[in-house]
Amino acid sequence: MSFFDDLALSLERNRITRRQALWLLGAGAASLSGCATSPVTGKSILVGMSEAQEVQTDAQVAPHQFSQDLGAIQDESVNRYVAGIGQRMGVLTHRPQMPYSYRVLNANYVNAYTFPGGAMGVTRGILADLDDEAQLAALLGHELGHVNARHAAQRQGQNMVAQAAIAGLNVAAQNSDWGGLMSMGGQIGASALLAGYSREHEREADALGQEYLVKAGYPASGMVRLHQLLVSEEKAAPSLLQTMFSTHPMSSERMQAAQAAADSRYRISNSLDARRERFMDSTASLRRIRPTIDACKNGETAMAARQYAKAQTEFQTALAKTPRDYASNLRMAQCLQAQGQTAKAVSYADSAREIYPQEAQAYKLAGVLALQQRDAGRAYQNLDRFDRLLPGDAGITFLKGISLEGMGNRQAAAQHYVAYLRQSQQGNAAQYSYNRLKAWGVVK
């Protein structure tokens, strides 16, 4: 009996195993034009989306990625502070008309990223590591540099050229028509948009960020010190900065380039105030929970290595320091679920939902845990709540189908499987959906 047949039988018997539940969490993960003139250099660049498409992509994709990073922190004063700096810098860029937005995310790893239309996220993990406002402005300036140079759009354009070349070879080899090219590039996933930039793009973003930093009244040395902080932390704990350095590859060359610019072109700026005191006052509430953030970060690293006992200890430490921390409760629930401690996991997932009812991830976990506890109705309620908070996630459509099948509502389950297959035709979830539709006679 195949895994899919076994899962279908488990649903009929209302007995989801831990292995099946973990698979459902993975299967339910969200899946997500031509030449232009660079706003920065004035030269022709190859892009894969128009400016309107950049903005539309942000609206469709960014909320899902921000939720994957556990949503904006529940500290409006810190969010307003960071957004205020970003807004002051945004009007000084080459594309001031873009709808820039800024939020500090509950993610504990060290990173910052932006989508092509200017929707930006800064993790609490990196914000807690910064020393002054000039460093924060340098971080935001670097991300603004990516938007203004249209790096994501350029990378998508390059990907389209590569896809076209491969498709052309396949068509020629198969002596077929060109119909398969019509759907090329139709979907842009968050993973593609946030993939690592080239060294050339990173250098350009650094240069632009330093320019915007100085225009905003900060010392150019803020960019240098940002690089120094990240490089020193990478040497001390490389595993904790793995994500940051995969999306923003660091090098001594980039730090030296920022130093050279600070010493020459921008040397007069280095007498400006880095605004450390204002930064410390404005981020005091976040820095107070720095031990919680560090413990969560350590727990996530242990989870990635499947060292669940160690991870659980770290999350317990985080919760002891900040019991009502959303990220700590959710991560503890995930850690317990991975160890088969479903009832305990439910308790922490429920706490996470109660602490941050506007954030979607706890509802997804609670839904899968409910399936594991043979309560398909409760699972559907949680997943439907996720869907209302964060519509457009194909994986949730699939999981709702699983819940409906577990409730014995085959007709509604089939409708969800069909809807899922309209959004995604690859992967195990698609195979399961197709198999069930075929078994039920919906498809031949």
Side-chain angles (χ1 to χ4, degrees), residues 327-443:
S328 301
N329 279 275
L330 186 61
R331 294 298 186 231
M332 177 63 91
Q334 292 170 329
C335 182
L336 290 168
Q337 195 231 10
Q339 297 176 80
Q341 300 180 43
T342 306
K344 289 184 179 179
V346 168
S347 175
Y348 286 101
D350 287 344
S351 293
R353 288 187 309 164
E354 185 270 326
I355 291 165
Y356 199 169
Q358 300 83 18
E359 213 298 298
Q361 294 304 313
Y363 292 97
K364 177 180 177 180
L365 180 58
V368 174
L369 289 169
L371 281 174
Q372 198 168 348
Q373 290 190 314
R374 309 178 189 180
D375 193 341
R378 183 161 56 93
Y380 183 85
Q381 290 177 353
N382 278 291
L383 295 166
D384 190 57
R385 178 60 176 164
F386 180 109
D387 214 6
R388 294 174 186 274
L389 289 170
L390 196 62
D393 187 317
I396 294 301
T397 301
F398 171 73
L399 289 175
K400 288 172 72 174
I402 289 286
S403 301
L404 289 162
E405 184 178 349
M407 294 163 65
N409 192 340
R410 183 178 294 183
Q411 182 177 358
Q415 292 173 349
H416 280 73
Y417 293 150
V418 168
Y420 177 76
L421 288 170
R422 288 197 186 106
Q423 296 173 274
S424 178
Q425 292 80 45
Q426 297 180 340
N428 291 332
Q431 184 178 345
Y432 180 86
S433 299
Y434 178 77
N435 287 349
R436 299 309 289 150
L437 292 172
K438 189 174 181 180
W440 295 338
V442 179
V443 297

Side-chain angles (χ1 to χ4, degrees), residues 58 62 66 71-73 75-106 112-115 117-123 127 136-148 212 216:
D58 278 29
F66 294 146
I73 61 172
D75 190 328
E76 288 304 314
S77 64
V78 175
N79 276 310
R80 282 196 303 270
Y81 169 66
V82 172
I85 296 170
Q87 289 161 2
R88 290 196 299 273
M89 296 182 70
V91 299
L92 302 173
T93 65
H94 294 81
R95 303 174 78 189
Q97 77 281 5
M98 297 301 287
Y100 299 111
S101 62
Y102 309 84
R103 75 275 300 142
V104 182
L105 300 165
N106 274 306
Y113 54 85
T114 188
F115 286 86
M120 191 179 303
V122 177
T123 69
L127 187 60
L136 174 57
L139 182 66
L140 299 180
H142 177 90
E143 298 303 328
L144 286 167
H146 283 306
V147 176
N148 280 268
Y212 303 150

Side-chain angles (χ1 to χ4, degrees), residues 159-172 174 176-187:
N159 289 343
M160 288 175 69
V161 169
Q163 289 170 5
I166 293 170
L169 288 172
N170 289 340
V171 167
Q174 296 169 6
S176 182
D177 60 27
W178 293 83
L181 294 177
M182 297 303 293
S183 62
M184 185 183 66
Q187 296 293 323

Side-chain angles (χ1 to χ4, degrees), residues 289-351:
I289 64 167
R290 172 73 180 271
T292 298
I293 296 171
D294 288 343
C296 276
K297 197 186 304 180
N298 293 335
E300 290 164 353
T301 301
M303 280 275 286
R306 299 186 179 182
Q307 298 172 348
Y308 298 123
K310 180 179 178 181
Q312 184 173 340
T313 298
E314 292 288 351
F315 295 138
Q316 285 172 339
T317 298
L319 287 163
K321 296 179 183 299
T322 315
R324 290 186 59 78
D325 181 57
Y326 175 71
S328 301
N329 279 275
L330 186 61
R331 294 298 186 231
M332 177 63 91
Q334 292 170 329
C335 182
L336 290 168
Q337 195 231 10
Q339 297 176 80
Q341 300 180 43
T342 306
K344 289 184 179 179
V346 168
S347 175
Y348 286 101
D350 287 344
S351 293

Side-chain angles (χ1 to χ4, degrees), residues 110 124-131 135 229 233 290 294 297:
V110 175
R124 69 180 190 175
I126 194 170
L127 187 60
D129 280 351
L130 300 180
D131 294 318
Q135 280 184 320
L229 171 69
E233 288 201 12
R290 172 73 180 271
D294 288 343
K297 197 186 304 180

Side-chain angles (χ1 to χ4, degrees), residues 7-14 16 371 402 405-406 417 432:
L7 176 57
L9 184 60
S10 294
L11 287 169
E12 289 178 7
R13 295 175 176 174
N14 208 8
I16 299 293
L371 281 174
I402 289 286
E405 184 178 349
Y417 293 150
Y432 180 86

